[in-house]
Amino acid sequence: MENYSNLDAEEFRILIVEDAPENIDILIGVLSNYNLIISKTGEKALKLMAGDAQPDLVLLDIELPNISGYSVCNQIRQNKEYDDIPIVFLTSKTDRESILKGFETGGQDYITKPFDTKELLARVKTHIELKKNKEQLKNVNRWLENKVAQRTEELKGANNELIRVNSELEKLNKELINLDKEKAEFLSIISHEIRTPLNGLIGFLDIIKSSIDDEKILEYFNYIDISTSRLEKFALLALQMTQLKVKNLKLDKLELNLNDIILGFTNSKFGEELSQKKISTNFDFSPQDMVVYVDESLFHQCISCVYENAISYTNEGSTIEIRGFLKDNYSCIEFVDEGPGFSEKALNNLFKPFIPGIKHVDENMGLDLAVVNLIIEEHGGKIEIENQDKKGALVRLLLPAKEAG
């Protein structure tokens, strides 16, 4: 952009159109600091205007030979290229009609004869400055328009790229969804293919075990029984985890009494194991008839996994505390054991399946806790796990509370 702030007067060109020699001499003397071009006729002035060196200001006498200053001004204004060149009339006519005619033909101002040098200099300087500022503003606007056009093109390119990337992401997302579905279907088939022979194997193992008298052989068969049970459990957990991740399970929520569920597990499923390890259980439910709004099958699996984990890592003769209470719009269920607690590595990888070398998940490669976490999240809740200050671990399940009835 051009900067006029340091320009000298001589760098501005003024076209003087005047036929009286004495007036020309006065104008040359007063405006000597400017670059002056003199024309004594309107015809010559129009030719000069059509040349390469266009003026920054025209001082135009109204009374010229052959062609009047009004006519010259009118012809200049017919060319759009000269719109920004100010025209100031030089006139001895001060009547209202003459002045208005000058403005109507396209003049910006007038200076009366005889000239007042201070007024002449002031008027010239004002119009030069106005033209300079107008040109500067036009240049700024042109620069801004170019910048806007450039930025618009950049944004257009960026937008096209964004559209392309979004299209690719949408395509990849569809492929991922299809892949998840295929994975779920594949695991379902694999699970079925594993469970079918396993069920037959487990059934035959029970039959064979009932007919064996040799204790050593029976011990071997017990090991096989344990291995097949673990394999069956692993297949079920892997399938369920995949179904939960791809949202392939529909929740059938019911209002269930938490106290009844916990007592059911304590007295039936884990009763024998609790008795063998001489583990006592303390229950604390507030309210006593605390209700949870859950999918019964999935919630039973959560309680089973967490309860079984607490039993497995609680030392013989110790105590497991199970608490139920309402807090911050959550139904909270806590299992507190007196085992060794979780290692730091285990705490950092609690819900990541297949993390090797972590003691608390070596039995099932971490699938139990991963599935519990997914089930709780599917219910809109969360799971929190921490070590106790003295010994043992605390597992807290938080489910959105819902009043019974």
Side-chain angles (χ1 to χ4, degrees), residues 365-384:
M365 299 300 286
L367 284 181
D368 273 351
L369 285 175
V371 169
V372 170
N373 184 53
L374 287 172
I375 291 173
I376 295 298
E377 285 183 347
E378 191 71 16
H379 282 79
K382 55 186 176 180
I383 179 172
E384 298 174 348

Side-chain angles (χ1 to χ4, degrees), residues 239-364:
L239 174 63
Q240 191 163 59
M241 185 175 68
T242 302
Q243 290 175 324
L244 286 164
K245 280 193 171 183
V246 299
K247 308 298 182 183
N248 204 29
L249 282 178
K250 293 184 179 179
L251 301 183
D252 183 16
K253 292 185 179 181
L254 300 171
E255 291 182 348
L256 303 177
N257 186 287
L258 180 62
N259 190 34
D260 292 343
I261 295 172
I262 299 298
L263 289 177
F265 275 101
T266 303
N267 297 329
S268 58
K269 185 171 183 178
F270 299 126
E272 183 178 348
E273 191 171 356
L274 288 167
S275 178
Q276 288 178 353
K277 294 188 69 172
K278 299 179 182 178
I279 296 174
S280 59
T281 52
N282 290 337
F283 307 108
D284 183 9
F285 297 98
S286 180
Q288 286 293 324
D289 58 349
M290 181 175 166
V291 169
V292 286
Y293 187 63
V294 292
D295 181 290
E296 185 173 11
S297 176
L298 292 178
F299 185 67
H300 277 209
Q301 185 174 350
C302 277
I303 297 300
S304 178
C305 288
V306 177
Y307 206 159
E308 184 177 13
N309 188 71
I311 295 172
S312 298
Y313 294 99
T314 293
N315 298 324
E316 187 173 329
S318 298
T319 301
I320 295 176
E321 293 187 16
I322 304 176
R323 308 164 186 157
F325 54 93
L326 298 175
K327 181 181 180 182
D328 299 332
N329 296 321
Y330 280 102
S331 296
C332 304
I333 307 101
E334 291 183 346
F335 289 81
V336 184
D337 63 47
E338 294 183 352
F342 295 95
S343 67
E344 183 177 352
K345 185 176 181 181
L347 286 171
N348 293 330
N349 297 276
L350 285 170
F351 309 125
K352 298 178 182 179
F354 310 111
I355 303 295
I358 299 178
K359 184 177 180 181
H360 82 284
V361 296
D362 281 344
E363 286 288 324
N364 52 45

